[in-house]
Each structure stands twice: as structure tokens, then as C-alpha cells.
Amino acid sequence: MANPVPAPVALTAREIHIQLADRLILDHEDLVLREGDRVAVVGRNGCGKSTVLKVLAGVENFFTGELTTRRGLRPAYLPQEVALEPGRTVRDCILDGAADVLALLHKYEGRQPGNPAATAELEAQIEQLGGWQLNQRLDELVSALRAPPADRLADSLSGGEKRRVGICRTLIGQPDLILLDEPTNHLDTETIEWLETYLARYRGTCLFVTHDRSFLDRVATRVLELAGGHLFSSEGNYTEFLRNKAKREEVAEQNEARRLSFIRREIDWIRRAPKARGTKSQDRIQRFEAAANQAGLERESDIELVVPPAPRLANRVVDIRQLTLELGGRTLVRNLDFTFEPGMRLGIVGRNGVGKTTLLRAILGEIAPTAGQIVPGARTEFNYADQHRVVLNDDKTVFEEIGEGNDYVTLGGQRLGIWAYLKRFLFADDEIHTRIGQLSGGERSRLVLAKILLRGGNFLLLDEPTNDLDLSTLRILEEGLCGFGGCVAVVSHDRFFLNRVCTGILGIGEDGSTHYEPGNYDYFVAKRREREDAARPAETRPRPAPPPPPKTAIRKLKWSEERELEGMEEAILLAEAAVEEIEARFAKPDFFAAHGHETAALGQELEAARAEVARLYARWEELEAVRAGRDVKSP
């Protein structure tokens, strides 16, 4: 069968050019988003991903080019920093995302009697937008995203709570196009997994920016890399993107090697400057000049993370004995016994608010235990990395913030110039003297990381270290921590990070219970599911998977099936046209007035037509599988 008909276009961007002062973000780029696309935008911190999202969302208009959307498209945008109007309740803030639906509901409530056609049309519009289930959907979103109670005031919310309300506000109206800027920030793993499932089933178009690699792998159907003012598109998820990027870079390196080799071969001939230059000589000179004037290959520089060498630990690092932590009358941790060993890299996981950060602060000695003891070893030196507690002075330059009056920093007893140190964190020459208030969120995160790691220590306690770091910086941070000679305890919701870094996972439950498993996060989740299944009544436990079917012989298409497959494309197009024809009749403004008595019959006809389309697609896949040799038949 020929390629299926492409999905309708939701958004088109042509020749989009975005430049802020001397900073080029997009250089006359094109972009097409189709219905059903789930497109991720990735790139270095500060490359302009959030700016591109704002332009496509219509929040900013400092661009040239043409930006068009499908008629009647209903977009929704989640910014990186969610702003809520003070004095309003969580419910009111969330319902802002369904303003068009609320307007229809208010119009319906205030309708005048005596016009059944107008009433029927209004009811159809509300039904199409899911307006009758609006309050139910609000309650479901608040519960699933663990947002604050609907009657709380926006003024009292933390940054993480505002973000959850912002996501609810983005999804409540069931928009056709969703633009999400770092949607997983401040969410726990269970909520992130819910959002992944929601977006995987979402029928509209989604464009999102995230550094959560597990989220990228499970949600994205296409990845756009923003680099050097250009968009590089890769079909598939993040893993496919990495493969395609490696191939693209290999081809670019080969082309650059050929260009340089050509220049080396031709330069001697050019220097001899032959006097008799005919047409061939002129062409040769022009080819040389074109190659010599071509911009060289721009290679991405990686961050060279400097994790200071750890002072030697004693055999005892930290012993936790029968620890209980209570806060505000609530038990966060109950009767925890745990021993940190040299070289251990512990991941601490659990829902937001269960006490993960409180446990780190108790280990540091900042919070006294309600019961039990925390006994650090004689040589244990803590370094607590909490990005939210490191205050940067926006009036200082990057150089001044790190140097604190010096021209060098000291790492493991060795001096290193501040310029050299900052360059390892990808700060360019002109950025080192930039004021901190002018940095992007990702650049500030890199600066915070650079400042934290200067403190040294042999026991690193990291509280959400991956927030706002770009993908390449995350990779280098992971490698730095894996090579660290001391001990690490990290609170994180980044499942990819936990899998790469951690040698064990400590889970904290909402009732204060704790459970430790050696190994990475995936192993921890698998063991947790085993415990949950074992705790269920026998009749509710999932049944074991049936044994695989016996090996069978591969069959070929029959002559009649080959003819059926050849005509399948036309049959599907005709079936889809029948569905569209019935849907078009329902969409007419005068439908209920002219055909109201046929509604039930036409509804049944529409369902039958849709079922026929589904049957034909299933049959097509079945026949294609047989032709590809994947279909089997028992001998």
C-alpha cells in the first residue's frame, strides 16, 4: 500500500527569523506541525528554546516570517515560570484555561426560550468541547497532578504548586495544540508518568521543551534540535535522535575533511599564480575560493565538569539509627536504619512533600531528629548542593560571583584561573563578564553548579541537581558523579539520571515508611511492583503471562488476498470520505433544525462508518504483516 495520507496541518511557520540584539535564535527556518505530532525541542542552555516556544504560542511577536494555524485551532501554552493572579482560587486559575468553554456555558444558561435551533446548535458546541464534563475534568486533573485543593488562594502557593496548577490550566480546555516549557519540573516520578500516559493518548498536537530524557523517549514522535539558529529534525524518540545526530555529525566531519584536503591540494597551485589563466584555470580558482571562504565546521564544545577530588573517607561515613522525623505534626520518616558506605551513590525518591529534602537536612545536622540518631564519620565532609538555596547576585558578573575578589579558585589543593574554570562550564569569553541578571535559566543553573562544586567535600548531598541543565551538561554531570571517589546522596525525579548514577535507591512512602533496594531506579520500581502484587489478595493479583505460542510456519498471501491488498488504499479512502461526509452534516449550523429527527440514525451510521475504517486499517496491517513474513500459522 502507498504511504498513508498525511495528517492535517495544525501550524505552519515559514522563514521565521528571531534575533535578540546580536543573539541569533532562528535564521529563516521553516516548521510544520501536524495533528497528532508530539514534537520535542532540544538544545544547549541559552540557545533560545523557550523563546521559540513563546513565538509559536503567540506570546511574543519579535520575529519576521509567516506564522499560520489551522482555522479554529485552540492552543494552550505552559510557560517555564507560571504566573497566577493573586487573590484568586486554584479553581478559578485552572478554569482560565477553558475560557471559551465557560463562555458557551454562560451563553447557554442565559439563553432565551423559543429558539430550539439555536439551543441545539449551542448544545452541540458545548458537547464537542466537553463542556458538560468540565467540573469533573477539573477534579480529575487536580487529583492526578496532585495540585493544591481547589479552594486555596494562589497567593499561598509555592513555585512547584503553581506549576501543577499551570499544567491543569493548560489541559482543562482540551486544546488542539499544547505548547509545554519544561512540564516535568517540580513533578514527582508518579505524576510525570501520568503526564506521559496522558500525552501519549492525546489526539491533538504537542510541542514541548524538556531535559527529562525518559520523558523524551516515551512521549516524542519527533525531535527538533535548535543549534546555531537552525532546526534539525529527527523522526522518532530521543534514542533515535541520538543515532541520527551521530550520523549527521559523522557526515559533516567527512565533508569538512574533504574541504580541508581540497584546500591543501590546491593552495600550492594557487601560490604559483600561473600567468596563462584560461577558462579552466578561472573555474579552478573559483572552486578554491569558494572552499576557502566557506565557514568551517562548528563543533559543539562539551562542558568539562570539575568535581574536586574527594578527601579520603573513614570506614564509617554516616550511620542512621532508628531515625524518625516529624514536621508540623506529620511523620515524614519512621524508624529508618541505614548505613552509608564509601563509594555509595544513593538516590532518594518519593512523592513531593514526603520528606526527601528534610532527610538531607537532617543528615547535615540542620534539623534535629524527633527520635533516633544520625552519626557522621570522623572524616566525613558534607557539601550540600541545593540550587534553590544558592543566591546569586544579579548585579555581579559571572567572573565576580565565582572569584569573590580573587583571580583563581582552589580545587584539591591546586590553583586554577577563574577564566579557565568557567570555560569548563561552557561560559564563553563575552559571557564571563556578563551580569548574572542577563543570563538564561540554564546558564544560571550552570553557574550555580560551578559555585557549589567549589566547596569540595567527600559526601555530596544533591537536591534536584538536574533542574534546568541541558542534555549535554546532564551527561557530563552523570559521568563526573560516577567517577567521584566519595559518597553521594541525591534527591531527583529524573529517572534517566537515577539509572545512570545510583548504586542504590531509598524510597520514602507517604506514611513515613522507607524501603531500600541496591541497584538502579528501574530495578527499584520492579521490586516495588513485586511487593505490591504480593500484598494484594490472590484473586486480584495479575495473572502470569501465558507461555509463548509454539513456533509456526510462515505463510504467504493467497491470490485473493493480494488483490484485496492492492485495493485496500482506495477502500480506506472511500471509507474515510464516508465518515467525513457524515461529520460535515453534523457540523452544519442548521443541522438540528433541518435534520434533528435523524440524529439517532445518523449517529449510528457514523459509528458504523468509523468502525469500518478501523476494520480496514486492521485488515491492511494484517495483510502487510503476512506479506512481510511476520504472520504465522500453526502447522
Side-chain angles (χ1 to χ4, degrees):
M1 179 177 173
N3 291 331
V5 178
V9 172
L11 178 146
T12 303
R14 291 190 178 91
E15 287 289 309
I16 298 296
H17 186 84
I18 306 173
Q19 184 157 356
L20 303 178
D22 58 348
R23 181 174 161 225
L24 177 64
I25 293 175
L26 270 188
D27 187 10
H28 299 93
E29 288 291 294
D30 295 340
L31 172 64
V32 174
L33 297 179
R34 296 185 178 276
E35 291 181 9
D37 281 351
R38 297 192 298 275
V39 182
V41 183
V42 301
R44 294 276 195 181
N45 282 340
C47 70
K49 301 184 295 295
S50 294
T51 302
V52 170
L53 225 61
K54 289 177 182 177
V55 166
L56 297 179
V59 175
E60 302 287 2
N61 58 4
F62 44 80
F63 70 96
T64 60
E66 182 183 354
L67 185 61
T68 57
T69 58
R70 172 176 59 78
R71 180 179 297 178
L73 185 83
R74 300 168 60 247
Y77 168 60
L78 174 73
Q80 198 168 130
E81 297 296 330
V82 175
L84 302 177
E85 187 178 339
R88 304 183 72 208
T89 64
V90 166
R91 176 179 293 276
D92 291 338
C93 293
I94 293 174
L95 288 176
D96 284 345
D100 55 344
V101 181
L102 286 174
L104 290 174
L105 289 170
H106 291 154
K107 185 177 179 181
Y108 180 81
E109 291 170 358
R111 69 191 184 285
Q112 297 297 322
N115 192 344
T119 298
E121 183 180 348
L122 193 55
E123 289 175 344
Q125 290 177 315
I126 295 172
E127 177 68 30
Q128 184 180 6
L129 298 179
W132 306 122
Q133 296 82 34
L134 188 61
N135 287 325
Q136 176 187 342
R137 194 157 61 249
L138 185 146
D139 293 338
E140 290 173 352
L141 287 171
V142 167
S143 174
L145 289 163
R146 297 178 65 83
D151 57 354
R152 271 187 64 183
L153 292 178
D155 315 56
S156 64
L157 303 183
S158 67
E161 289 173 327
K162 287 181 179 178
R163 185 151 202 81
R164 291 166 183 267
V165 172
I167 298 176
C168 291
R169 180 176 63 186
T170 305
L171 303 181
I172 185 70
Q174 297 181 316
D176 305 312
L177 170 63
I178 298 176
L179 302 106
L180 306 172
D181 198 350
E182 294 292 357
T184 65
N185 277 3
H186 307 295
L187 299 185
D188 55 54
T189 51
E190 292 181 36
T191 309
I192 293 172
E193 288 167 1
W194 178 90
L195 186 59
E196 287 173 349
T197 302
Y198 180 93
L199 293 178
R201 296 173 178 172
Y202 173 62
R203 295 184 178 181
T205 308
C206 182
L207 183 72
F208 60 94
V209 171
T210 186
H211 297 135
D212 187 321
R213 290 153 293 180
S214 295
F215 189 88
L216 281 166
D217 249 350
R218 296 174 186 181
V219 175
T221 59
R222 180 158 55 111
V223 177
L224 296 175
E225 182 181 20
L226 177 58
H230 299 290
L231 290 171
F232 300 94
S233 179
S234 171
E235 294 295 327
N237 62 9
Y238 181 64
T239 301
E240 286 298 316
F241 158 74
L242 291 178
R243 293 195 189 102
N244 293 335
K245 181 178 180 180
K247 293 176 184 176
R248 189 180 79 229
E249 290 178 342
E250 182 180 358
V251 170
E253 289 284 356
Q254 292 171 352
N255 291 338
E256 178 68 359
R258 283 194 289 268
R259 183 181 75 90
L260 296 177
S261 177
F262 172 77
I263 291 173
R264 285 192 296 269
R265 288 197 311 269
E266 294 293 285
I267 196 165
D268 288 339
W269 181 83
I270 293 294
R271 284 172 177 169
R272 290 197 297 270
K275 295 180 180 179
R277 289 183 175 174
T279 302
K280 291 185 177 179
S281 296
Q282 289 295 333
D283 289 344
R284 188 171 178 179
I285 292 170
Q286 289 174 2
R287 287 197 303 271
F288 171 81
E289 290 176 344
N293 292 331
Q294 181 181 327
L297 178 64
E298 293 186 9
R299 296 175 174 86
E300 286 188 349
S301 55
D302 263 335
I303 187 172
E304 299 178 42
L305 189 71
V306 184
V307 179
R312 186 176 178 182
L313 284 161
N315 290 333
R316 183 170 73 183
V317 180
V318 172
D319 285 344
I320 299 177
R321 304 167 184 166
Q322 286 294 297
L323 176 68
T324 294
L325 296 173
E326 295 180 356
L327 194 64
R330 178 167 159 248
T331 300
L332 302 178
V333 175
R334 178 183 291 108
N335 300 329
L336 171 63
D337 282 307
F338 194 81
T339 299
F340 285 96
E341 299 174 354
M344 175 180 282
R345 298 188 298 275
L346 179 72
I348 302 174
V349 301
R351 283 193 176 273
N352 287 345
V354 297
K356 302 184 296 294
T357 298
T358 303
L359 177 57
L360 291 187
R361 295 182 62 194
I363 293 172
L364 284 167
E366 294 182 357
I367 294 177
T370 306
Q373 289 181 305
I374 299 177
V375 183
R379 295 180 182 172
T380 302
E381 300 175 17
F382 294 112
N383 183 351
Y384 183 34
D386 177 6
Q387 295 195 28
H388 301 293
R389 299 181 69 196
V390 174
V391 178
L392 300 176
N393 187 337
D394 286 351
D395 294 327
K396 285 185 177 181
T397 64
V398 172
F399 182 94
E400 292 167 343
E401 185 69 34
I402 292 295
E404 297 180 345
N406 298 312
D407 293 330
Y408 62 88
V409 295
T410 304
L411 296 171
Q414 300 291 323
R415 285 189 175 186
L416 182 66
I418 291 176
W419 280 74
Y421 180 70
L422 287 171
K423 280 180 175 292
R424 294 188 180 190
F425 288 85
L426 290 184
F427 285 100
D429 291 346
D430 57 337
E431 293 173 333
I432 290 176
H433 282 304
T434 298
R435 302 221 171 263
I436 292 171
Q438 298 174 348
L439 299 180
S440 70
E443 290 165 338
R444 291 176 71 95
S445 294
R446 268 191 278 129
L447 182 59
V448 167
L449 191 61
K451 190 169 183 177
I452 287 170
L453 292 176
L454 279 177
R455 302 171 184 163
N458 53 21
F459 192 155
L460 300 180
L461 296 103
L462 312 176
D463 198 352
E464 294 292 355
T466 65
N467 279 355
D468 296 321
L469 296 181
D470 60 38
L471 298 171
S472 58
T473 306
L474 283 172
R475 177 174 56 82
I476 303 301
L477 174 61
E478 290 161 354
E479 292 174 1
L481 292 177
C482 289
F484 182 61
C487 195
V488 177
V490 55
V491 170
S492 179
H493 298 132
D494 188 324
R495 295 153 293 174
F496 198 100
F497 178 87
L498 292 169
N499 277 332
R500 283 203 69 191
V501 170
C502 294
T503 59
I505 303 291
L506 177 69
I508 302 178
E510 293 182 275
D511 59 354
S513 62
T514 55
H515 192 88
Y516 171 75
E517 287 288 349
N520 64 14
Y521 179 73
D522 284 347
Y523 181 76
F524 171 83
V525 171
K527 299 299 288 185
R528 182 179 64 191
R529 286 173 180 161
E530 287 181 11
R531 294 195 306 273
E532 291 171 350
D533 290 343
R536 294 176 185 170
E539 60 272 13
T540 64
R541 294 177 193 171
R543 296 179 180 178
K551 291 185 178 180
T552 53
I554 297 175
R555 74 174 181 87
K556 296 182 178 180
L557 286 174
K558 300 175 183 178
W559 182 88
S560 60
E561 290 174 332
E562 289 179 349
R563 304 288 78 75
E564 183 183 1
L565 183 57
E566 289 174 359
M568 190 61 73
E569 180 178 7
E570 183 178 356
I572 288 176
L573 290 175
L574 289 173
E576 288 178 335
V579 171
E580 291 172 0
E581 190 273 333
I582 300 171
E583 288 178 339
R585 291 171 67 181
F586 271 105
K588 289 181 179 179
D590 62 344
F591 172 79
F592 287 97
H595 306 285
H597 60 285
E598 300 176 7
T599 301
L602 282 173
Q604 293 177 358
E605 187 178 342
L606 178 59
E607 288 303 314
R610 288 172 174 168
E612 176 63 9
V613 171
R615 186 194 69 78
L616 287 170
Y617 269 114
R619 179 60 174 162
W620 168 53
E621 291 176 3
E622 177 186 351
L623 294 173
E624 284 285 5
V626 175
R627 185 166 69 175
R630 297 193 301 273
D631 194 41
V632 295
K633 182 178 180 182
S634 299

